[in-house]
Amino acid sequence: MSKYFKNFLDEQLKDEEFRKEHESLEAEFQIIKEIVEARKDKNITQKELSDLTGITQGDISKIENGNANLSLKTLKKLAAAFRKKLVISFE
C-alpha cells in the first residue's frame, strides 16, 4: 500500500460512516489480498492462473480488483492451483 493511499485511507477512516462500511468489507479485502499474494508468491500471471484453474483471465482480474462475487467452488479452484488448503472460519 502506497504511503499516499495509506494517508488518504487514514483520513477517510475518521468519518464514522466510512469506517463502518470499510470494516464491513474487511473479509472481502482479506480474501483479495490473499489471492493476489498467493499468485505473486507462485510467480505466475493471471493468464497462467487462468490456465491452472479454468477461470477466465478476465474473471481472475475481476476477482483481484474486487469486482466479483466469489463462490466456494471458485475459492477451492484457486486454493488447488496455489497448492494450498482453503480454511474458512468464524472468529
Side-chain angles (χ1 to χ4, degrees):
M1 181 181 316
S2 74
K3 184 177 180 179
Y4 173 79
F5 179 75
K6 174 80 170 109
N7 290 340
F8 174 78
L9 180 59
D10 288 345
E11 187 64 32
Q12 296 305 305
L13 289 171
K14 292 177 184 176
D15 178 87
E16 179 82 13
E17 188 175 336
F18 181 90
R19 185 183 53 74
K20 285 181 181 180
E21 183 66 20
H22 184 268
E23 288 172 357
S24 76
L25 296 171
E26 186 60 34
E28 287 88 348
F29 293 149
Q30 187 62 38
I31 290 169
I32 292 166
K33 180 182 173 195
E34 293 292 330
I35 291 168
V36 172
E37 286 180 1
R39 182 175 63 77
K40 289 183 177 181
D41 287 346
K42 197 163 173 64
N43 198 28
I44 59 174
T45 65
Q46 288 182 349
K47 175 65 174 127
E48 291 167 325
L49 182 56
S50 171
D51 293 341
L52 289 170
T53 62
I55 301 167
T56 67
Q57 187 275 323
D59 285 342
I60 299 286
S61 177
K62 288 178 185 176
I63 290 166
E64 290 188 1
N65 287 308
N67 295 319
N69 192 3
L70 290 168
S71 68
L72 186 54
K73 183 178 180 179
T74 299
L75 289 171
K76 287 178 179 179
K77 286 180 182 180
L78 291 166
F82 298 135
R83 296 184 180 186
K84 294 186 177 266
K85 179 181 175 184
L86 177 63
V87 177
I88 299 172
S89 67
F90 294 100
E91 297 179 10

